[in-house]
Amino acid sequence: MSFSVERQLSDRVDAATQTWQQGDVLTLPTTQRAWMAVPDAPLTLASEQMDSGELGWVVASAERLVIVSQTCDIVRSCREHPFITLAAVIELDEPIASQARRGHRPRLLPLPDIGASSFADMNLLVGAEKSTLLGLEPIRGLENSEGQRHFARAVGRVFERPAFPDDLNEALRGLLERIRAKHNRNSPEGQALESLQEIRVVVESADEAHKIRITVLFCPESRPSEESRPRHSELQEQIAAWVTRTRRTGIVVSVDGILAPLDEMTALEYRASDPLDLDYLTARGA
């Protein structure tokens, strides 16, 4: 059954959406998120509180929501594109907040202009008709273009995460557990982690059939000097220590780690690698 939006309404909605952009926050008197769940097999506190029975809908409140739709989709006519996609705004404590700010928790996206501890929770997205924005003023979660670009890349990263083989996850498990334990610590190892902008991984085919070699790239913005903290030699030593926490298993025949400053990588080298994040630790048996 087709539905035709009244011209007067669509014009009002289209005019209202022109002031909104990706990363804007909205607050409604009754802001809610809904998802499907089985009450007899609850996985969250909200579903545990449902009445016993079969498949149903959980409705939970959220004080604030952030638009994760691309700006070009927000401003498109509601006649062609009536929906926007929203995520809840949540507050995080340390050390999770620091990890998320550095991109190690890719489903938690910083909203620095809302607050240092404010993040978009991409674990559960909800849809809303654009008329939801009528009468509301956008709260800018991202005031400058750099923040907007970073947020847009982070949203894209959520949907573009590579499907690594389970054996790679097992091979890197010890390394990732160590990073999670030492991140944001006031120690030489914590300072070494703080100096890294990214940790990336290159997966290459080995000579043996169906086997792979892994290279972990530890990426500061630029190569440290012997006067910096940590010094170049100290970071190299720490990388060597981190690599000892990996292991060969299954199809993984080797794991190496190298210092790979971002300002020295070519575009092709960067594209040949994939980001490794702390939320990646999700293989069977984790």
Side-chain angles (χ1 to χ4, degrees):
M1 180 177 178
S2 62
F3 178 76
S4 179
V5 181
E6 294 181 0
R7 173 61 66 180
Q8 186 176 8
L9 174 59
S10 65
D11 288 347
R12 285 177 57 215
V13 173
D14 289 348
T17 58
Q18 301 307 302
T19 61
W20 292 80
Q21 64 186 30
Q22 186 181 55
D24 282 350
V25 172
L26 57 148
T27 301
L28 296 169
T30 55
T31 304
Q32 296 178 324
R33 299 182 295 168
W35 63 92
M36 298 179 74
V38 179
D40 294 336
L43 298 180
T44 64
L45 178 61
S47 58
E48 185 181 43
Q49 296 172 344
M50 295 173 65
D51 293 333
S52 180
E54 298 182 352
L55 185 68
W57 284 93
V58 181
V59 179
S61 61
E63 292 185 5
R64 294 177 296 177
L65 296 170
V66 58
I67 301 180
V68 298
S69 299
Q70 293 181 318
T71 302
C72 59
D73 289 329
I74 298 171
V75 301
R76 280 175 60 188
S77 173
C78 63
R79 286 177 170 272
E80 302 172 6
H81 200 74
F83 299 106
I84 52 175
T85 303
L86 308 168
V89 178
I90 60 174
E91 301 296 315
L92 295 178
D93 297 324
E94 296 295 345
I96 301 300
S98 178
Q99 294 169 359
R101 279 191 291 270
R102 298 187 68 82
H104 298 317
R105 302 278 182 175
R107 291 188 174 275
L108 301 171
L109 312 188
L111 295 168
D113 292 299
I114 297 299
S117 61
S118 299
F119 294 81
D121 181 5
M122 297 289 288
N123 286 292
L124 177 63
L125 302 179
V126 296
E129 294 190 7
K130 290 180 176 178
S131 52
T132 305
L133 303 178
L134 287 172
L136 299 179
E137 291 294 329
I139 301 170
R140 292 285 185 247
L142 308 160
E143 290 286 0
N144 58 61
S145 57
E146 181 180 356
Q148 293 162 9
R149 287 194 299 272
H150 179 80
F151 188 85
R153 288 195 298 269
V155 170
R157 180 181 172 188
V158 171
F159 301 104
E160 295 174 359
R161 296 173 73 192
F164 290 132
D166 286 345
D167 286 341
L168 184 147
N169 193 44
E170 290 300 325
L172 300 182
R173 181 176 300 280
L175 168 64
L176 292 176
E177 288 177 342
R178 181 70 175 184
I179 290 173
R180 292 178 73 172
K182 296 300 180 179
H183 190 273
N184 212 35
R185 295 289 184 88
N186 186 20
S187 65
E189 190 170 2
Q191 292 172 1
L193 286 169
E194 186 69 18
S195 72
L196 302 176
Q197 294 296 313
E198 292 187 63
I199 301 174
R200 303 183 68 82
V201 63
V202 177
V203 180
E204 298 176 300
S205 297
D207 294 335
E208 305 169 62
H210 307 299
K211 302 292 185 178
I212 60 174
R213 289 190 171 90
I214 301 170
T215 303
V216 183
L217 309 181
F218 297 90
C219 306
E221 186 171 334
S222 58
R223 186 174 297 274
S225 68
E226 285 304 312
E227 289 72 41
S228 61
R229 288 290 183 272
R231 296 195 297 266
H232 180 270
S233 57
E234 293 172 334
L235 188 53
Q236 292 279 31
E237 291 172 2
Q238 184 58 69
I239 289 173
W242 283 328
V243 173
T244 65
R245 296 183 175 275
T246 66
R247 66 189 184 96
R248 293 179 294 176
T249 182
I251 65 173
V252 178
V253 298
S254 68
V255 183
D256 295 312
I258 62 172
L259 178 66
L262 290 174
D263 65 355
E264 297 179 13
M265 295 178 70
T266 67
L268 287 176
E269 289 171 336
Y270 190 85
R271 289 186 61 190
S273 63
D274 293 295
L276 194 65
D277 57 71
L278 301 185
D279 284 341
Y280 172 69
L281 195 61
T282 55
R284 302 184 191 98

